[in-house]
Amino acid sequence: MQTNISVDLGGTNVRCALVDENGTILSIVKGSSNPEKGAQAIVDKIESLIKQLDNYEQANAIGIVVPGLIDQEKGIITAANNLPKLIDYPLKKQLEQDLGKPVILANDVKAAAYGEAISGAGKEHAIVYYISISTGIGGAAVIDQKIIERIPRLCRRSWQCDRRPAL
């Protein structure tokens, strides 16, 4: 059986799960993220929680989702209101080095949107838009099972408080 480790890092909590190829959660642990303690403390917490997962050593890879903007190529967070001390920190590289497994770093809302599109409420639909209302508000679109990374300028709109569209 192939397994992977899933990490959901937020400004309050961090959750780690060992998941099989069918999406079944085999083991799960949770702790406080304590972002005020700094980047190394957060990394130490993630690693400690991962090591509490049953058979974590046999996992193929680690996927970690965070609230904020991600530079996929560099494996860093470029903006995150809840995790300011992780901005520009080499999170992907550090976890790969310490745990000896490949790490994929992604935005939490994009990952949730993709999950809903391929195996959740949106799996029967070609277009899925996911909105998260939590500590912050975010959204992501998935079309034909592909995350839309950039919205063409022609389609971008924002709404003012009086509900009139603004460009």
Side-chain angles (χ1 to χ4, degrees):
M1 169 179 31
Q2 292 193 11
T3 60
N4 290 296
I5 296 168
S6 176
V7 179
D8 180 4
L9 174 61
T12 304
N13 295 303
V14 56
R15 294 171 183 85
C16 300
L18 186 71
V19 183
D20 72 13
E21 66 268 14
N22 297 315
T24 303
I25 296 172
L26 305 173
S27 179
I28 190 167
V29 291
K30 172 186 167 185
S32 298
S33 56
N34 299 315
E36 70 282 355
K37 292 184 178 179
Q40 191 58 54
I42 294 170
V43 169
D44 292 344
K45 181 60 144 188
I46 292 168
E47 292 176 2
S48 168
L49 288 171
I50 286 173
K51 289 176 182 177
Q52 292 175 40
L53 295 169
D54 298 332
N55 301 312
Y56 82 91
E57 306 93 343
Q58 294 159 358
N60 296 325
I62 300 167
I64 180 167
V65 297
V66 297
L69 303 177
I70 307 298
D71 182 326
Q72 288 279 334
E73 289 179 25
K74 294 180 180 176
I76 62 171
I77 300 167
T78 59
N81 291 339
N82 295 341
L83 303 165
K85 294 183 179 180
L86 276 179
I87 293 172
D88 294 327
Y89 182 86
L91 183 60
K92 176 184 184 310
K93 181 179 178 182
Q94 186 68 53
L95 290 171
E96 286 177 337
Q97 179 180 322
D98 293 352
L99 297 169
K101 299 188 182 303
V103 173
I104 297 170
L105 183 63
N107 172 270
D108 58 352
V109 175
K110 287 181 181 180
Y114 187 70
E116 287 296 336
I118 64 165
S119 62
K123 68 182 175 183
E124 302 294 325
H125 303 280
I127 300 173
V128 174
Y129 193 78
Y130 183 91
I131 298 173
S132 173
I133 301 174
S134 185
T135 305
I137 298 174
V142 179
I143 300 176
D144 296 329
Q145 298 189 342
K146 293 183 179 91
I147 297 171
I148 304 305
E149 295 294 337
R150 303 224 185 263
I151 298 173
R153 185 164 174 34
L154 187 61
C155 299
R156 276 187 251 162
R157 298 192 85 142
S158 64
W159 290 84
Q160 296 172 339
C161 292
D162 62 3
R163 298 185 183 218
R164 290 182 298 144
L167 295 177

